[in-house]
Amino acid sequence: MLRRYVHITPMTIDKFINERSADVLEELCAFLRIPSISTSPDHNDDCRAAARWVADHLKSVGCERVELLANDTHPVVWAEGPTVPGKPTILVYGHYDVQPPDPLELWDSPPFEPTVRDGNLFARGATDDKGQVFAIVKAFEAVMGTGRPPVNVRFLVEGQEESGGEVLTELLQRDPERVAADAVLVADMPYYAPGWPAIYTALRGMCYCDITVRTLEGDLHSGLYGGVAPNAHETLVGILAGLKSSNGRIRIPGLYDMVQRPPKVERDAWKRLPFNERRYMKTEVGAKALTGLTQYPPLERTWALPTLEIHGISGGFTAPGAKTVIPAVAGAKVSLRLVPNQKAKKVETLLRRRVKELAPSYAHVSVDFIHGADPVLADVTAPPFDRIRQAFREVEGREAVPIRSGGSIPIVPALGVKKAPVILTGIGLPDDRLHAPNEKISLEQFWKGVRVFGRFFQLMGE
Ligand code: BES
Ligand code: MN
Ligand code: MN
């Protein structure tokens, strides 16, 4: 194709948006139609298709050395923009995999049939993370125009972020040079609030486990044996209850030893953010009370303290009607969110020890580690942070706020091993409903994203 070699004045970002918005939206919809759910093996072909779609698209916007790496079911996409000697290198990280869409009946339009309503594009993956990574790809295309990009850009787009997959971690252990860059840009997070862009200073980590309890060789009649036979559910529930006290403190010895309270200046800055606890409780959380360690403010509880959640309990009889049985086996999925200084492997050991301590001697109890992620604490003072802050200032007219997030992105620690500053940001909104029915991206935010990331590339090249 000729177009890459003809040197015409590059289109400005706004001109690109004005001229190409309909095509760009159509392209994003094509990406969103692929049900690349990485947590379910039934969708392995779709994940492969999404990886190929990303690779082909990156080629079509002028990337070279486009490769699918590491794995045939969930390949990692690697691509490099044209080499621009003497200019910095930006590594863009994103993920093409999505969470399962269920419960399907709660979607107003099907999750893999992207639909625009009231200025929002609804689809699974719209904000997490297809829409956001696509905004960066379009920003790259816009600043490249028909000439050269202002900086060296590399793309690393994985397909196992949502399943905690270790493929990319292993790939980067073998080949750490992939993350050698002047900055890493990760757009997989929301603004603090509409009009309030955010630069994240920390992410929580995670330790996800299955707990299984067996108390009998087989299920028993509750009439004949009720009164003597140990019940697996009762035993499991006892163990779970022993993991947290009613005031919200997690009862795993040693868990809080590594927790460092954020510095006072940081906590004071959080107090200046617009936050209305009542409205947050009623409209965002949708509850009648906020629980947990209520002696700490809600933002500190979700951003800077560990949590323990029970995600689901299985076993026994749950079908309609009644069955009088003493269950022999019961299971629970639990996870802990971790905060800076904690380590997933260490917390796994502490959890195992505590579960063992709580288990009665008649029960066989096992803890299986499913996946983990170490927390992240980001120093946001390196020069590239000034560039992204300037881009937000120009586009949004407000300074990006330094905040933390309760969410996790397992690969982030590995993105920083070559000492590149990792910029954790995004253009989502807090009500995007990621992982839930009716996930969406605001189209206004999407176009702002193209402008912000395009300006970031330009400023990095100056
Ligand atoms: N993009 C999210 C993480 C996120 C969301 C961070 C909002 C900050 C603000 C990511 O795709 C995600 O869902 N991560 C999982 C990781 C887990 C499966 C190991 C999470 O946080 O549950
Ligand atoms: Mn994500
Ligand atoms: Mn996610």
Side-chain angles (χ1 to χ4, degrees):
M1 216 163 62
L2 203 62
R3 104 176 213 275
R4 262 190 275 150
Y5 303 102
V6 188
H7 233 288
I8 320 172
T9 319
M11 282 198 281
T12 65
I13 304 168
D14 287 330
K15 190 151 174 267
F16 172 88
I17 293 173
N18 287 335
E19 289 175 2
R20 294 285 317 285
S21 63
D23 306 338
V24 169
L25 209 56
E26 205 24 72
E27 291 162 1
L28 174 56
C29 288
F31 188 19
L32 290 169
R33 276 186 205 106
I34 309 170
S36 43
I37 304 161
S38 64
T39 54
S40 148
D42 296 347
H43 288 276
N44 285 358
D45 286 343
D46 296 313
C47 289
R48 228 185 327 256
R52 270 198 215 113
W53 190 93
V54 173
D56 289 344
H57 196 80
L58 287 169
K59 248 178 245 165
S60 79
V61 302
C63 284
E64 296 153 7
R65 284 185 282 278
V66 181
E67 292 175 81
L68 296 186
L69 303 171
N71 177 302
D72 355 293
T73 54
H74 302 78
V76 175
V77 183
W78 175 265
E80 298 180 18
T83 306
V84 210
K87 295 292 183 185
T89 298
I90 317 291
L91 175 68
V92 174
Y93 164 84
H95 62 94
Y96 63 74
D97 63 322
V98 300
Q99 285 272 323
D102 52 270
L104 281 174
E105 64 281 7
L106 295 184
W107 285 76
D108 296 327
S109 52
F112 297 107
E113 292 174 27
T115 307
V116 175
R117 287 191 300 278
D118 301 329
N120 293 312
L121 178 59
F122 289 85
R124 171 58 84 232
T127 192
D128 185 15
D129 178 38
K130 288 174 171 175
Q132 298 213 51
V133 75
F134 198 64
I136 306 184
V137 174
K138 294 293 111 172
F140 167 74
E141 189 182 349
V143 295
M144 178 140 135
T146 49
R148 277 172 178 284
V151 279
N152 296 286
V153 181
R154 293 168 178 182
F155 291 92
L156 181 66
V157 185
E158 72 157 317
Q160 284 191 317
E161 195 275 341
E162 301 290 7
S163 50
E166 258 132 45
V167 174
L168 181 54
T169 314
E170 281 160 23
L171 174 97
L172 294 180
Q173 262 160 16
R174 280 197 309 274
D175 192 2
E177 286 310 311
R178 299 257 177 200
V179 299
D182 297 286
V184 182
L185 176 61
V186 182
D188 193 18
M189 274 137 304
Y191 273 30
Y192 173 72
W196 290 70
I199 308 283
Y200 286 80
T201 58
L203 298 177
R204 287 198 288 194
M206 136 110 35
C207 173
Y208 202 118
C209 293
D210 257 330
I211 300 177
T212 310
V213 171
R214 178 179 276 280
T215 53
L216 297 166
E217 279 175 21
D219 290 356
L220 294 174
H221 188 293
S222 68
L224 299 182
Y225 301 101
V228 295
N231 181 309
H233 269 268
E234 183 184 322
T235 307
L236 173 66
V237 167
I239 293 170
L240 296 177
L243 291 176
K244 206 194 258 183
S245 44
S246 54
N247 69 9
R249 194 175 160 89
I250 302 164
R251 295 176 63 195
I252 297 179
L255 183 83
Y256 291 96
D257 291 358
M258 299 161 279
V259 175
Q260 250 174 4
R261 201 162 187 211
K264 185 156 188 311
V265 279
E266 194 175 3
R267 285 182 280 127
D268 286 345
W270 297 348
K271 285 189 196 136
R272 293 192 293 273
L273 294 167
F275 184 80
N276 176 321
E277 185 164 338
R278 252 193 102 64
R279 182 152 10 99
Y280 172 76
M281 178 180 95
K282 286 197 148 177
T283 61
E284 196 168 329
V285 181
K288 287 191 178 145
L290 298 178
T291 54
L293 294 169
T294 49
Q295 64 272 39
Y296 297 96
L299 292 181
E300 190 170 346
R301 283 172 12 230
T302 55
W303 292 353
L305 281 163
T307 61
L308 172 97
E309 297 295 341
I310 302 165
H311 300 291
I313 298 182
S314 62
F317 179 72
T318 53
K323 178 185 177 191
T324 47
V325 67
I326 301 175
V329 183
K333 291 196 181 277
V334 302
S335 81
L336 292 117
R337 293 274 169 179
L338 314 178
V339 296
N341 244 358
Q342 295 184 305
K343 287 269 173 276
K345 277 285 155 202
K346 171 77 186 166
V347 169
E348 181 200 341
T349 308
L350 297 178
L351 173 68
R352 275 180 197 288
R353 196 177 292 159
R354 176 65 174 151
V355 168
K356 215 168 167 187
E357 186 179 281
L358 290 165
S361 58
Y362 58 76
H364 182 267
V365 180
S366 60
V367 176
D368 293 304
F369 180 76
I370 301 181
H371 60 66
D374 285 332
V376 174
L377 191 62
D379 172 9
V380 298
T381 56
F385 287 97
D386 293 332
R387 309 289 172 276
I388 191 80
R389 277 191 281 261
Q390 183 178 337
F392 273 120
R393 222 166 20 238
E394 288 179 18
V395 172
E396 190 59 70
R398 197 195 307 262
E399 199 64 40
V401 283
I403 60 171
R404 296 189 178 198
S405 169
S408 313
I409 303 180
I411 201 65
V412 169
L415 296 176
V417 294
K418 287 278 152 181
K419 304 290 172 222
V422 181
I423 302 172
L424 303 168
T425 186
I427 44 97
L429 289 176
D431 67 351
D432 279 348
R433 289 178 291 270
L434 53 165
H435 297 200
N438 298 316
E439 178 180 349
K440 54 93 174 160
I441 191 163
S442 147
L443 291 175
E444 192 191 342
Q445 290 295 116
F446 176 82
W447 297 119
K448 269 185 211 166
V450 176
R451 289 197 196 94
V452 169
F453 302 129
R455 272 307 280 154
F456 172 68
F457 288 142
Q458 291 174 338
L459 292 165
M460 285 295 293
E462 277 171 13

